[in-house]
Amino acid sequence: MTTAATAFRALHHGRAADDPLVLPGPWDAASARAFAEAGFRALATPSAGVSASLGYADGTAPPGEMFAAVARIVRAVRADGVLVTADLEDGYGLAPRELVERLLETGAVGCNLEDSARGSGRLTDPREQADRLAAVRAAAGDAVVVNARVDTFLRGDSALGPALERGRLYAAAGADCVYPILAPAGLLAPLAEGTGLPVNAMARDGGPSPQELGRLGAARITFGGGLFRRTLAGVADMAADLRNGLPPAAL
């Protein structure tokens, strides 16, 4: 029997170079419904967008509220067969088994786990992070698609070597995908080849399109909090129109 996680894992493989897996990032149930109705088969919650929608700065939302928000997003699209993977930041200090149990209770089929410590932003020792990922894999079996985020580029190291070292360790620990956030586009293919895993790239305003990122070596595309920020900018424009006595364009 094919599980939801197995189906989601399969979406990362065997794709044409210009057809990567594009995962919009819903921050609440309503945005998840909008993406599902547009025809997307899977979604990836962004911690920044979800945190902001709950009234918290990125990286400060209590884990209970984050898991509850993910559960609402899953519930909103479950009937359409849309799969959801959740950004769980650094895992909130939860033991691997508890982390997996709480994730599965939401109905999500995957997660991001980053190698920066929540709050301090300090990079975790790569072997320590690999051990944690291995423990998560052991607790989850095949029920969770693990996207291992590599934060070296985010922390200012532009070299391939440190990111590749981490990616290889995380692959050996059982990660399904690596996410070298903010990696230069020209390094996506070497990272994919060097780790043997699908690479997640983040599409950004002014950067390569998802299709271009696919041709450059990414198998999976996410957007961080970008889609939430774009929507919020529209709300700000509407608020300004209302404050100035102008009818909002949407009315």
Side-chain angles (χ1 to χ4, degrees), residues 7-171:
F8 183 50
R9 190 174 287 111
L11 292 176
H12 293 68
H13 298 276
R15 309 185 70 88
D18 61 352
D19 182 33
L21 175 60
V22 176
L23 300 173
W27 51 91
D28 61 11
S31 58
R33 287 294 318 147
F35 292 128
E37 289 167 5
F40 288 97
R41 299 169 61 191
L43 307 172
T45 69
S47 65
V50 173
S51 294
S53 74
L54 295 172
Y56 297 97
D58 189 19
T60 67
E65 293 195 42
M66 184 65 74
F67 285 114
V70 171
R72 289 191 292 271
I73 287 168
V74 171
R75 185 173 65 244
V77 299
R78 180 184 288 120
D80 296 307
V82 175
L83 305 173
V84 176
T85 182
D87 182 352
L88 299 184
E89 303 177 291
D90 69 348
Y92 308 116
L94 298 174
R97 182 164 298 280
E98 181 181 359
L99 181 71
V100 169
E101 288 174 352
R102 294 184 71 173
L103 174 68
L104 293 176
E105 285 172 359
T106 70
V109 298
C111 67
N112 283 5
L113 290 172
E114 63 194 49
D115 58 4
S116 289
R118 193 173 191 242
S120 72
R122 178 185 60 83
L123 278 170
T124 303
D125 177 84
R127 287 171 177 77
E128 179 183 329
Q129 180 70 0
D131 288 345
R132 180 164 174 75
L133 291 170
V136 169
R137 171 55 66 215
D142 291 333
V144 174
V145 175
V146 177
N147 187 29
R149 204 176 90 175
V150 176
D151 283 5
T152 55
F153 299 108
L154 178 65
R155 302 302 168 198
D157 190 340
S158 60
L160 172 64
L164 188 55
E165 176 192 5
R166 286 173 179 267
R168 285 172 171 162
L169 286 169
Y170 302 165

